[in-house]
């Protein structure tokens, strides 16, 4: 009967790409006891293997939310099948054990069926499946104490696509919506087009949110003013007391797209009201519609709008697309926001293991005997550094109350003086009379109340006045080595920050940014560096460990001071800004600025007082890869197995957010979850992780405790950071709200052990945390301690990263602001902040001397984040030149190799990355760089960094580094010039992005030019590698025009992997220790041997009998 | 006329301005924190730095003809490379006879004084400036714009745009914007977009602007093409990003409510910025 029913129904179904269709029949054995029989009709080819059939009893129509009652209650049922034998048109009927519904289950139970591979955990695609590869075949509906079975039509109900509801949306909405858009009478609603906007409305279940259907709005337009307004038939009264609007919508636009086009606009939107006086009021949502998943837009309804209000419509504008696009609307909620009056946290931020020194960022003390002294000279005070290298005097004459009162006088050993002012227009900013006054700006009166000297410091108290309003602050200066510490303190709420000022007094002064020293404030974050003036180096920065500011700023974005229009001298010191907290009060101002002058640039670089990563042994040799999607699990595993067959094992594989949701960043929550994307499920993901671990790789999953999606189980308005005005902060990333940093610590402690336990991961990719500077991630909410201080965020994220490491074993993060967190994570993607990162000079000192000893950073981040545009790639010379640049920069900065998944001449360049960089990483990861030199093409000398900065030679980017392990590397980062390098008695011609590295035990790796062309070669231990790039080269044991990997096995045999397209491949027999009869044992694929053949040796060259497409060849004596 | 000269200069590669130099335009700023006193600053805007030291004189005139003057040096060395100098005067204590609305004029010694504005005493004795428009402008706009560029690296510049209020009260927060264009008369933004010079926008607090306010918005930095064969023109304005996108009419603006504030061109192998003279910003 079942089979007949199935055939009957099936004949009317639309064609489905999946060929197996399940349907259910049910015998009711008792009022709450049922026996289900599932018939599988195979309409196509035989399934590839024997799957297990399963039945799930779900709490929701969409989404995966199982009942797991004790037997015989409704828990998943599983039965084996012989599906690999199912012929086309064959029907297989499986009778499952009885199931009993306990009385506690009063709501509908949804019955879902699927086929599951017990080996991989993957589910077979079925006809009529939902997004989780299961078919809803029926349900149990409660009728009083009894229940009955309800069969659903096969094929997903009349062919309709029913989406997977975000798994956490099984809870009820706290407030019943004013409108459920999927339930409105479309005929009665009005659509008002704006500027030629084209609109169509349709009800859909393609994506499910709170309701069983949503409204799909199809739109197009002509320009940015095109749009539409949806209006109900009548204005709908707004509930009394409603003070916030929540609109649930599904955007279908990606706000993080690399390049925007007019065909994928990010719509701006609003809701409209009419108030008690008949005035139309528009409430704008601050964030554009920029997310391909469900999101709740939120806006506060102003309290001063005359009540009662009536809702009159929802508007969207910015429809520049001419090809139709859609947006889905689920619900509009107008409610009284119920935030908790108080919040508590158990997070303790004292006793952290960082910073390791109370001196904070203070540079290294000069490595010579020196004295610091303080003397008075009339009304001025003089702080003097006197050493054999130079004399530096900072003179403080308290006149203006700004940093303008500080002069620096440097006397070189030859007696020549150099005078300048390190921070003109720097100092406290004051808010009086409703306006902000910068240091030294006219209009306020400044008066020095007192100046007192102690043994090594001078403190002056200043009062500013405007009419009857006054503000007071205290400046304390002291000298440490060559560094002048300027402490600014005030408990006065009128003191709003400290401007960093600018350098003045040297016509030749110039700012030199140092890669990876990024405040992330100005000029794409290319804003950390030193001033070079004459032959002196000057640095200045606030010590973030002491600051209680809310943000660091360059202060030049928007100013009401006419002087700010004038081009200034060199700006190099970030200022500090104190924004009011949510209660309107500012934190007391506490800042320490460190100004350092020296003839040695190494003496002005900030220190990072953090404990180093303890995971060097685990991570030093690993290459890195970022990517992965749950939908491609099987393909990914195959790809890694293939690489493993080449001996690639030491890989840190960081899977991105697409493992938690069915598509990357949608439609499920992709942060703060412990469940794999429904499309695969937890079991399949665990098996995948285990499989990679079994290969020797280190697979980790994505975590992120900064961005929280409204569809997440943890979503709670009280968990979201607040702005300075007390409103909820509504942006951190499209479709996400910013999690309070203190909550982030709590939730990380909750989720990290669960994820580690569930998936067996031994590391995590804790995204974003080292990409955002803490001054960009503030919570001003005074219900929690540390409100309005970036230091709270900083300590929270540092603690969180340390706990990720404690829980999993190893943690990486996104990078770009990672120097702030160096050592607290094991490393970060070495993302370089600049408009054109790949064109920046290889000025490696800050990274190698300060960051590198603490952690192991990866690549130059991903290659697309280093070579960021087609124009830059073209400037480098094309795709392979960009890859070469990426590799060269990775080596110059002492980073870990990172896979790019690019292919040149028929083989994956990741193999080259692995076999050329991992032996070097073992010798340089977290190891001290003893010598750093820059080649000056003018005279061929290698210059120390200070000299290279003074002459500008560093811009040639020709770098030599010698590590304490004996490894030496020479990297030519010049874009145009070659570099002849003498190393180990050989001369290497390094083309742009060429390099040579030599180390102990004969290690030699290079990418250099020969008369024939460019060749990449590596020899170390039992490994030899070559890529002759299509030009015949005779190097090491190879004579070839292609690429090959050769490795010696334990039994003195060799394995040769020919890579990509080859014309010639011969091996020097003597170098392999082979002579006489040599037998070649080819493999067509890993584990698929072909018949052995004899290999000839002619004139000392072993002719390798490789066939077309051979994977590898074993070589040994006959 | 000066505008024509400016365009010709850009088209020809920014030649030096013809001698003798025209007197600089002047814009007045006033702070009055204590009753009966004021501090003044005068922004001098020249086509290029003046070569000789000069003296700035400020004259306050009461309705009865009573006058009070102040002066300050204008050192030749203090000009910015693109011809700006800010001169501070004061604090001045107003003479007892300086009652009622005070007319302020000023200029460099030896040149014709320019009317800079009117000072009005408030009830608390402090004075408020009604700034005069420094040039004759048609239309309703009472905000004008001028720009300066700062070199922050080889071929890399920030552009600072000052929006100066001469009596406008705005009801919303406009966003400042900046466009690069290939033609002095406007032209296709796509050309500059392909150079990576995208239109830029920055929020302002314009609803809180006082009637004599100045707001300086810094755009960039921008990497200009090293082989800048033709000049690149810079137009700025204010628009209502949160609302209907409408632009605020600016004094001296063109029909599209944008102001040509200057342009970049190559001179002696270096990229330089030349500011458009005030009031001649519309093509």
């Amino acid at each position: 009967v079942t089979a007949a029913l199935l055939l009957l129904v099936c004949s009317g179904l639309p064609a489905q790409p999946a060929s197996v269709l399940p349907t259910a029949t049910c015998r009711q054995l008792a009022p709450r006891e049922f026996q289900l029989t599932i018939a599988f009709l195979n309409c196509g080819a035989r399934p590839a293997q024997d799957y297990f059939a399963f039945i799930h009893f779900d709490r929701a129509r969409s989404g995966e939310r199982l009942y797991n009652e004790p037997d015989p209650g409704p828990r998943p049922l599983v039965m084996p099948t012989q599906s690999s034998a199912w012929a086309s048109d064959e029907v297989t009927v499986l009778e499952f054990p009885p199931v009993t519904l306990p009385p506690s289950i009063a709501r509908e139970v949804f019955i879902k069926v699927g086929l599951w591979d017990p080996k991989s955990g993957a589910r077979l695609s079925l006809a009529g499946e939902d997004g989780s590869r299961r078919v809803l075949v029926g349900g149990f509906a409660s009728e009083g104490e009894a229940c009955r079975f309800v069969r659903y039509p096969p094929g997903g109900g009349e062919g309709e696509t029913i989406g997977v509801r975000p798994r956490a949306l099984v809870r009820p909405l706290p407030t019943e919506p004013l409108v459920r858009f999927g339930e409105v009478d479309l005929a009665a609603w009005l659509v008002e087009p704006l500027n030629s906007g084209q609109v169509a409305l349709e009800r859909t279940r393609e994506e499910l949110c709170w309701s069983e259907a949503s409204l799909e709005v199809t739109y197009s337009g002509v320009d940015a003013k095109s749009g539409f307004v949806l209006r109900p038939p009548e204005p709908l009264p707004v509930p009394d007391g409603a003070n916030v609007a929540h609109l649930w919508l599904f955007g279908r636009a990606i706000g993080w797209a690399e390049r925007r086009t007019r065909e994928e606009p990010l719509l701006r939107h609003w809701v409209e009201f009419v108030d008690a006086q008949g005035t139309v009021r528009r409430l704008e949502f601050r964030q554009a519609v920029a997310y391909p998943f469900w999101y709740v837009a939120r806006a506060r309804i102003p309290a001063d709008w005359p009540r009662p209000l009536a809702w009159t419509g929802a508007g969207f504008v910015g429809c520049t697309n001419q090809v139709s696009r859609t947006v889905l609307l689920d619900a509009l909620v107008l409610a009284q926001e119920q935030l908790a009056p108080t919040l508590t946290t158990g997070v303790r931020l004292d006793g952290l293991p960082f910073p390791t020194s109370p001196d904070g960022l203070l540079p290294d003390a000069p490595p010579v005997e020196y004295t610091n002294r303080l003397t008075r000279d009339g009304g001025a005070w003089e702080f003097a550094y006197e050493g054999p290298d130079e004399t530096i005097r900072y003179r403080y004459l308290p006149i203006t109350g700004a940093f303008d009162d500080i002069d620096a006088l440097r006397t070189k050993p030859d007696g020549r003086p150099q005078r300048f002012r390190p921070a003109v227009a720097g100092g406290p900013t004051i808010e009086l009379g409703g306006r902000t006054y910068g240091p030294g700006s006219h209009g306020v009166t400044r008066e020095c109340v007192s100046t007192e000297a102690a043994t090594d410091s001078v403190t002056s108290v200043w009062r500013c006045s405007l009419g009857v309003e006054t503000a007071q602050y205290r400046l304390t200066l002291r000298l440490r080595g060559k560094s002048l510490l300027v402490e600014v303190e005030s408990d006065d709420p009128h003191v709003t920050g400290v401007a960093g000022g600018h350098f003045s007094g040297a016509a030749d002064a110039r700012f030199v940014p140092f890669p990876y020293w990024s405040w992330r404030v100005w000029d794409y974050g290319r804003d950390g560096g030193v001033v070079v003036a004459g032959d002196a180096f000057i640095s200045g920065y606030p010590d973030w460990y002491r600051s209680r500011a809310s943000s660091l700023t360059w202060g030049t974005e928007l100013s009401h001071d006419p002087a700010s229009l004038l081009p200034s001298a060199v700006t190099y010191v970030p200022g500090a800004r104190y924004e009011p907290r949510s209660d309107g009060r500012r934190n007391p101002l506490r800042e320490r600025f460190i100004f350092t002058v020296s003839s040695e640039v190494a003496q002005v670089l900030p220190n990072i007082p953090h404990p180093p990563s303890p995971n060097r042994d685990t991570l030093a040799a690993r290459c890195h890869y970022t990517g992965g999607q749950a939908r491609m699990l099987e393909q990914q595993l195959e790809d890694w197995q293939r690489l493993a067959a080449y001996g690639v094992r030491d890989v840190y594989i960081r899977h991105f957010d697409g493992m938690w949701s069915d598509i990357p960043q949608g439609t499920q929550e992709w942060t703060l979850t412990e469940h794999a994307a429904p499309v695969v499920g937890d079991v399949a993901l665990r098996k995948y992780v285990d499989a990679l671990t079994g290969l020797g790789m280190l697979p980790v999953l994505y975590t992120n405790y900064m961005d929280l999606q409204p569809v997440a189980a943890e979503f709670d308005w009280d968990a979201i950071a607040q702005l300075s005005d007390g409103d909820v902060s509504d942006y951190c990333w499209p479709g996400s709200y910013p999690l309070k940093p203190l909550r982030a610590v709590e939730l990380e402690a909750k989720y990290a052990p669960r994820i580690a336990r569930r998936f067996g991961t031994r590391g995590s990719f804790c995204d974003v945390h080292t990409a955002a500077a803490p001054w960009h991630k503030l919570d001003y909410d005074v219900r929690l301690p540390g409100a309005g201080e970036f230091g709270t965020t900083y300590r929270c994220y540092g603690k969180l990263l340390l706990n990720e490491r404690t829980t999993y074993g190893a943690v990486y993060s996104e990078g770009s602001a990672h120097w702030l967190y160096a050592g607290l994570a094991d490393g970060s993607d070495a993302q370089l902040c600049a408009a054109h990162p790949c064109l920046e000079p290889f000025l490696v000192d800050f990274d190698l001397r300060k960051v590198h000893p603490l952690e192991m950073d990866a690549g130059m981040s991903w290659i697309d984040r280093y070579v960021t545009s087609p124009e830059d790639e073209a400037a480098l010379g094309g795709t392979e030149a960009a890859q070469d640049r990426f590799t060269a920069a990775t080596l110059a900065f002492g980073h870990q190799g990172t896979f790019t998944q690019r292919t040149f001449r028929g083989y994956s360049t990741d193999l080259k990355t692995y076999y050329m960089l991992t032996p070097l990483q073992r010798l340089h990861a977290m190891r001290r760089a003893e010598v750093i030199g820059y080649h000056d093409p003018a005279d061929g000398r290698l210059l120390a960094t200070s000299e290279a900065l003074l002459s500008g030679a560093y811009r040639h980017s020709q770098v030599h580094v010698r590590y304490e392990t004996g490894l030496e590397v020479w990297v030519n980062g010049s874009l145009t010039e070659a570099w002849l390098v003498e190393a180990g008695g050989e001369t290497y011609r390094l083309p742009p992005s060429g390099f040579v590295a030599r180390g102990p035990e004969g290690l030699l790796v290079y990418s250099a030019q020969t008369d024939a062309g460019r060749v990449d070669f590596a020899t170390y231990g039992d490994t030899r590698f070559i890529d002759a790039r299509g030009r015949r080269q005779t190097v090491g044991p190879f004579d070839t025009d292609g690429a090959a990997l050769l490795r010696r096995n334990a039994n003195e045999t060799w394995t040769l992997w020919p890579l990509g397209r080859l014309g010639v491949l011969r091996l020097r027999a003597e170098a392999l220790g082979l002579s006489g009869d040599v037998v070649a044992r080819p493999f067509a694929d890993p584990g698929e041997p072909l018949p052995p053949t004899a290999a000839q040796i002619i004139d000392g060259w072993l002719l390798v009998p490789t066939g077309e497409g051979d994977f590898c060849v074993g070589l040994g004596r006959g | 006329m000066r505008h024509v000269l400016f365009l010709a200069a850009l088209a020809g590669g920014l030649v030096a301005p013809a001698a003798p130099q025209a007197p600089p335009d002047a814009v007045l700023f006033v702070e009055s924190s204590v009753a009966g006193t004021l501090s003044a600053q005068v922004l001098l805007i020249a086509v290029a730095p003046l070569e000789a030291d000069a003296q700035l004189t400020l004259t306050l005139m009461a309705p009865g003809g009573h006058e009070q003057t102040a002066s300050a040096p204008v050192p030749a060395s203090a000009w910015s490379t693109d011809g700006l100098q800010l001169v501070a005067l004061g604090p001045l204590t107003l003479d007892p006879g300086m009652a009622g609305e005070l007319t302020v004029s000023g200029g460099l010694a030896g040149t014709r004084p320019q009317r800079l504005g009117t000072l009005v005493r408030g009830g608390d004795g402090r004075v408020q400036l009604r700034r005069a428009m420094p040039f004759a402008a048609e239309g309703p706009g009472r905000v004008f714009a001028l720009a300066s560029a700062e070199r922050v690296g080889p071929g890399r510049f920030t552009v600072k745009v000052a929006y100066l209020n001469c009596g406008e009260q705005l009801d919303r927060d406009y966003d400042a914007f900046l466009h690069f264009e290939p033609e002095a008369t406007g032209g296709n933004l796509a050309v500059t977009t392909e150079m990576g010079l995208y239109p830029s926008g920055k929020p302002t607090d314009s609803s809180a602007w006082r009637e004599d306010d100045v707001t300086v918005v810094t755009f960039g930095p921008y990497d200009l093409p090293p082989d800048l064969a033709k000049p690149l023109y810079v137009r700025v304005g204010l628009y209502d990003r949160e609302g209907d996108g409408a632009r605020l009419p600016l004094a001296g603006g063109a029909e599209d409510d944008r102001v040509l504030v200057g342009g970049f061109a190559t001179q002696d192998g270096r990229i330089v910025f030349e500011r458009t003279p005030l009031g001649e910003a519309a093509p």
Side-chain angles (χ1 to χ4, degrees), chain A residues 284 435 442 466 523 556 559, chain B residues 33 41 156 210 216 218 221:
Chain A
E284 299 268 357
R435 297 203 60 163
H442 75 301
L466 177 70
D523 190 11
T556 56
S559 171
Chain B
S33 56
Q41 286 178 298
R156 169 174 289 215
R210 298 191 322 199
V216 180
T218 302

Side-chain angles (χ1 to χ4, degrees), chain A residues 225 268 284 435 437 442-443 466-467 523 526 556-560 562-568 835-836, chain B residues 29 31 33 39 41 84 86 148 150 152 156 160 202 205 210 213-218 221 223 241-242 244:
Chain A
K225 294 181 180 176
R268 291 186 293 114
E284 299 268 357
R435 297 203 60 163
Y437 294 87
H442 75 301
L466 177 70
D523 190 11
R526 192 175 172 272
T556 56
E557 294 277 294
L558 185 68
S559 171
H560 295 289
S564 63
L565 177 67
L566 305 178
S568 63
H836 306 279
Chain B
F29 304 90
E31 288 286 348
S33 56
S39 297
Q41 286 178 298
L84 295 177
L86 190 66
S148 170
E150 182 174 3
V152 294
R156 169 174 289 215
K160 297 179 172 187
K202 290 277 176 72
D205 52 355
R210 298 191 322 199
D213 225 335
V214 58
T215 300
V216 180
V217 182
T218 302
D223 289 303
R241 186 179 68 86
E242 295 292 331
D244 59 4

Side-chain angles (χ1 to χ4, degrees), chain A residues 282-350:
Chain A
R282 179 186 279 202
L283 185 64
E284 299 268 357
F285 295 106
R286 280 187 286 223
Q287 298 307 323
V289 181
Y291 28 80
F293 48 83
W294 288 109
Y295 172 75
V296 60
R298 174 194 172 280
R300 217 159 41 171
I301 303 173
D304 59 354
W305 287 3
R307 308 289 174 123
L309 298 170
W311 177 72
T312 58
F316 294 79
V317 74
C319 307
T320 55
N321 55 301
Q322 295 178 359
V323 177
S324 292
R325 299 183 61 84
T326 59
V327 59
L328 307 182
L329 304 179
D330 179 74
L332 173 66
V333 180
L334 301 172
Q336 186 166 25
E337 193 160 54
Q338 305 282 349
L339 295 180
T342 58
L343 294 176
T344 58
T345 179
V347 175
R348 297 285 304 271
L349 296 178
D350 51 352

Side-chain angles (χ1 to χ4, degrees), chain A residues 670-712:
Chain A
W670 44 274
T671 64
L672 278 82
T673 180
E674 56 181 308
H675 291 294
V679 72
V680 291
D682 293 354
V683 174
L685 181 55
R686 172 65 194 245
K687 286 175 180 287
Y688 168 81
V689 168
D690 288 347
L692 292 180
T693 305
L695 293 174
M697 298 173 178
L698 182 47
V700 306
L701 295 173
Y702 179 92
T703 62
N704 171 346
Y705 297 94
M706 201 177 277
D707 309 319
L708 183 58
Q709 297 82 54
V711 295

Side-chain angles (χ1 to χ4, degrees), chain A residues 64 77 174 404 435 562 582 679 738 906 932 942 1004 1033:
Chain A
E64 194 157 350
L77 302 175
D404 302 52
R435 297 203 60 163
S582 63
V679 72
I932 298 175
L942 275 175
L1004 173 65
Q1033 304 268 6

